[in-house]
Amino acid sequence: VLICDDEPIIRKSLKNKLADLGFDEILECGDGDAAVEKALGEFPDLAILDVAMPGKDGITAAREIRKKLKIPIILLTACYDPETVKRAGESGIAAFLTKPLREQDLWPAIEMAFAHAEEVEALKEKVEDLQETLESRKIVEKAKGVLMKTHGLSEPEAFRKMQKLAMDKRKSLRQIAEAILLTES
């Protein structure tokens, strides 16, 4: 776990609470620039960042960390005004903890942060898969149109021809469609 807060006493308290929860490797720093550097150099499983720090604030640091690492990030803050909450949400923050930190709030926030991060990654993978499927369908439809136009085939005949080619050549329908678009257009 990476802890970043400009107040050493907060870091020490949080470190003790995390150790009590069973976390054995706890990294510490006191500003946003150091948080980004440590996160990208040490690859923690979780980051807990204070919002208000000297130099780069916690939300900006979180945004930079999330660009490279898909780890859950929890914000620790005394100020949770609507603008801060909005910025945090846009940055992929998984949870908020408010100061003064109550020990009973820490474990649920960590659990929720990990669950949220896993859900977001799963959704991103589904979106990528759907985009790939949609792109493949577009290519197949274009190739089908080319076959219909150049060979005077009906839509079902063009599709069957592509399916047969795919089976005979042991290629995917998309690969056959791409080949048709290259050779026939």
Side-chain angles (χ1 to χ4, degrees):
V1 178
L2 170 63
I3 302 169
C4 186
D5 194 304
D6 58 329
E7 298 176 44
I9 193 146
I10 301 279
R11 286 197 313 264
K12 183 171 178 42
S13 170
L14 190 51
K15 185 175 184 176
N16 290 338
K17 288 174 181 152
L18 288 166
D20 289 346
L21 290 172
F23 290 93
D24 54 0
E25 191 175 341
I26 303 167
L27 309 166
E28 296 179 59
C29 61
D31 66 75
D33 290 314
V36 173
E37 188 177 317
K38 271 200 184 294
L40 299 181
E42 302 285 334
F43 307 109
D45 296 320
L46 169 73
I48 302 174
L49 310 176
D50 185 22
V51 171
M53 292 185 288
K56 195 175 287 174
D57 74 353
I59 296 174
T60 304
R63 188 176 293 125
E64 290 183 25
I65 292 168
R66 294 269 310 149
K67 280 182 186 173
K68 306 267 192 219
L69 304 177
K70 306 302 180 207
I71 62 170
I73 298 177
I74 298 173
L75 279 186
L76 182 60
T77 183
C79 58
Y80 46 92
D81 59 280
E83 182 60 30
T84 302
V85 173
K86 182 179 180 219
R87 281 184 60 219
E90 292 168 350
S91 301
I93 301 301
F96 262 96
L97 286 171
T98 56
K99 293 179 184 179
L101 180 61
R102 297 180 330 159
E103 191 166 343
Q104 67 264 30
D105 294 339
L106 186 57
W107 186 249
I110 291 170
E111 285 291 317
M112 293 303 295
F114 276 109
H116 178 260
E118 288 174 18
E119 185 178 349
V120 166
E121 289 309 308
L123 287 172
K124 283 181 181 177
E125 286 178 19
K126 283 183 182 177
V127 166
E128 287 173 11
D129 289 347
L130 289 170
Q131 287 173 330
E132 179 68 27
T133 300
L134 184 59
E135 187 60 32
S136 290
R137 283 190 179 170
K138 286 179 184 177
I139 291 169
V140 167
E141 288 300 316
K142 277 185 187 176
K144 201 165 43 169
V146 167
L147 286 178
M148 289 165 59
K149 185 177 178 183
T150 57
H151 297 285
L153 302 173
S154 69
E155 187 175 350
E157 289 170 333
F159 189 68
R160 275 195 294 280
K161 180 175 178 124
M162 290 172 55
Q163 283 181 315
K164 182 166 178 12
L165 281 168
M167 288 181 358
D168 291 348
K169 297 191 180 293
R170 297 179 189 256
K171 301 280 184 188
S172 70
L173 202 53
R174 179 177 177 156
Q175 290 171 315
I176 295 298
E178 288 170 339
I180 289 169
L181 291 174
L182 279 174
T183 57
E184 303 241 0
S185 55

